[in-house]
Structures are given as structure tokens and as C-alpha cells.
Amino acid sequence: MQNRRLLALPLVAGAAALALSGCATSSASGDASGDGTVRIVASTNVYGSIAQEIGGDDVEVTSILDDPSQDPHSFESSAKTQLAVSKADLLIENGGGYDDFMTTLAKASNTTADTINVVELSGLDQGGDAEFNEHVFYDYPTMVKLVADLEQRLTKLDSAHADTFERNAKTLTTKLDDLESQTAAAKEKVDGEEVSYTEPVPGYLFDAMGLDNVTPEAFAEAIEEGDDVPPAALNDTLKLFTGKQVRLLAVNEQTSSPETEQVQKAAEQADIPVVGVTETLPKGEDYVSWQQANIDEITGALAK
């Protein structure tokens, strides 16, 4: 499903583009500022965290969406974000229609920096009639691919610190492999258990754990697109909880609507665990600690 609310809101880029029209564009030299620091701009702090962990002190990372209290579907650009993009040596976007504001910012700044499109890197979007879940940051094999790609690109931009990038990438990959091992172990215990979510944010994590999401597609799609939920889809979703048909409900903590509140209330009244998920990192967390908390909360809820 394409998260159109995140990308469809108008960017406040016109004035910013005019203000920055005299700014120098970035190059792929890894030294856009002349101080030897590789500058990376990521669409969200999810990707910013991964880039920082690999680059360490030898990179400067700007995450455009980095406020855990911010609705990630309500982004507006500013002169500050436009300036960061104009000076970047490398851009990281989710892709898949999730953060098209990155393309708008890049065009407005005339940057020549390379862009990592994580959806394209993942290889998960096979086309076809099924709606694609663009929340690939919940897919650990994709994050392993991203780490490898970042290591190669940073080495090309700053070969003097290649050993650091390689060491940091290896350490992070080991941690990601551990997350994969945990989901595989969980699958042996909960494979086939039926669950629900308000939006497909944790879909790839559910799949890795063998969980069967039974949320009516019309409900989740309407919530994700910011549309009115068809009455029949809402009724069918509520029945999952009144009939105690699912083991847990995952709720996107960064968005809310009367329908999601109604569904959450129904789950709580039925004593079905409600698990909160997010699209950006909570304050003080890095990617691995964030996902570890997600795994722990889901497995804990299923153990009840």
C-alpha cells in the first residue's frame, strides 16, 4: 500500500528554492563542504541511524523526519532541509511512493548526489496486482542490503576511512542477523497465529514471525490513505476483536483517526493486547534497539 499521505502534502519548497538558488550544488567527491566530511541526508531517522552507525565520526547525517511525536504523513519542507539536500554527498530515501518529497527536494536543489532508493534495493516490489507494502524498514534482510550498499558508497566517497566503514558495517550486520534469528525462533512458536494492524507498518516483521494478518484490506488501506473507512470494512474489523479472533492488534502510534481509536477500544475491551509501532525512531533509540523493542513487545503480547 502506498502511503500517499506522506508524499501528497504540498512542500514549502518554492521560497526555499529561490533562497537557495545561489548555493553550490553537491558533488560525489565526498567533500562538498571542503572539510573532508561526507554529508548524508536521509528521509527519516530510521535510515539516518543506520548511516550514522556505519559512518561514525566521519560522516554528518541529517534526518529530515526525526521527531517521534511528528505525524510522518504531515511533512512540509523548509529552507533548512532544502539547504541540507543541496550540500549532501549522498541521499537515502525509502522509495515506493513513501517519501517522494525527497525527489522534490533533490530537484529543487539541483544536487548531483547519488540516491539510495531502499525499496529498489530490497527487490521486494515485484509488481502485479497486489498492493505493495512500502514499509521495508521493518524487513531485516533489506536492512542488511542497505548496510552493504552504504559501506561501498562511503568507501568510494572517503576511501581514507574504508577500514572504519567496513568494521562498523560488519558490527551492524551481525546485530541485524541476530534480529533475524530471533524472528525465526519466534516463528517456531507462533507460526500461523492470526493478528491485526491498523496500517501495514509492521507487515514484514509479522511475515518473518509467521504471523497471519487478517485485517480487512479495505480497512487498512483506507487508514493508510487517510480516507473514510467503508462501514462494512469497519464492522468486519471490529468483529475480529469482539469475536476474539486475533491474538493482538498493532497500532501506528504516530497517526490516529476515529476509526483506529474505535478499533483499539474494541481490542482493549476484549482483553486483546495492543502493540504500538512507529515509522520513525523513538527518542534515544537506534535502529537495532528500536526493532529489538518491537520484537520483544510482539512476542510478549503473544505469550499472554
Side-chain angles (χ1 to χ4, degrees):
M1 296 182 183
Q2 302 237 334
N3 203 329
R4 295 300 180 191
R5 287 174 293 162
L6 182 60
L7 60 98
L9 291 176
L11 298 175
V12 187
L18 289 173
L20 295 169
S21 61
C23 291
T25 58
S26 173
S27 69
S29 66
D31 192 9
S33 63
D35 62 4
T37 300
V38 177
R39 295 188 173 183
I40 303 170
V41 175
S43 62
T44 76
N45 62 1
V46 173
Y47 297 126
S49 170
I50 291 174
Q52 190 70 69
E53 201 155 342
I54 298 170
D57 295 335
D58 300 309
V59 300
E60 179 183 301
V61 178
T62 298
S63 298
I64 293 178
L65 296 178
D66 63 355
D67 184 350
S69 66
Q70 179 183 12
D71 180 350
H73 309 127
S74 304
F75 170 73
E76 289 186 350
S77 180
S78 66
K80 183 178 179 180
T81 54
Q82 186 87 44
L83 179 62
V85 170
S86 74
K87 292 181 174 294
D89 300 294
L90 181 64
L91 306 176
I92 309 174
E93 65 181 18
N94 186 83
Y98 183 80
D99 48 7
D100 282 353
F101 62 82
M102 287 291 286
T103 300
T104 302
L105 287 167
K107 288 181 178 179
S109 67
N110 294 317
T111 181
T112 58
D114 285 342
T115 299
I116 299 176
N117 182 306
V118 184
V119 166
E120 291 181 359
L121 184 67
S122 74
L124 292 169
D125 188 1
Q126 300 297 314
D129 297 331
E131 291 286 349
F132 176 67
N133 180 6
E134 72 278 10
H135 302 92
V136 294
F137 40 88
Y138 272 80
D139 181 68
Y140 305 144
T142 293
M143 296 302 98
V144 170
K145 291 181 180 180
L146 175 60
V147 169
D149 193 29
L150 273 167
E151 180 200 341
Q152 292 177 3
R153 291 176 186 265
L154 289 177
T155 296
K156 183 178 179 180
L157 289 165
D158 183 6
S159 59
H161 295 101
D163 290 345
T164 298
F165 303 146
E166 181 181 11
R167 181 173 62 252
N168 291 345
K170 184 177 181 180
T171 298
L172 182 51
T173 298
T174 298
K175 294 177 181 179
L176 294 171
D177 288 342
D178 180 60
L179 294 179
E180 285 192 67
S181 296
Q182 291 181 55
T183 58
K187 185 175 182 178
E188 294 181 0
K189 299 178 180 179
V190 300
D191 191 25
E193 294 283 1
E194 294 187 340
V195 295
S196 180
Y197 52 49
T198 56
E199 297 180 59
V201 174
Y204 291 109
L205 179 54
F206 280 2
D207 291 345
M209 298 176 76
L211 299 173
D212 182 14
N213 168 60
V214 294
T215 309
E217 184 175 345
F219 176 87
E221 183 174 0
I223 294 300
E224 189 178 24
E225 301 291 346
D227 296 333
D228 292 333
V229 178
L234 177 59
N235 288 334
D236 288 344
T237 303
L238 291 171
K239 287 178 183 178
L240 296 177
F241 307 103
T242 57
K244 295 183 179 292
Q245 299 176 39
V246 294
R247 294 289 306 279
L248 66 80
L249 168 67
V251 175
N252 186 348
E253 294 183 333
Q254 291 174 276
T255 63
S256 180
S257 71
E259 293 90 351
T260 59
E261 292 173 0
Q262 188 175 352
V263 165
Q264 181 171 345
K265 183 177 181 180
E268 292 169 345
Q269 290 177 338
D271 291 325
I272 293 172
V274 176
V275 174
V277 295
T278 61
E279 298 180 60
T280 56
L281 299 185
K283 186 176 181 179
E285 301 285 354
D286 59 26
Y287 179 83
V288 172
S289 66
W290 172 53
Q291 287 300 317
Q292 183 66 64
N294 287 327
I295 292 173
D296 291 344
E297 190 168 4
I298 291 170
T299 55
L302 292 171
K304 294 179 180 180

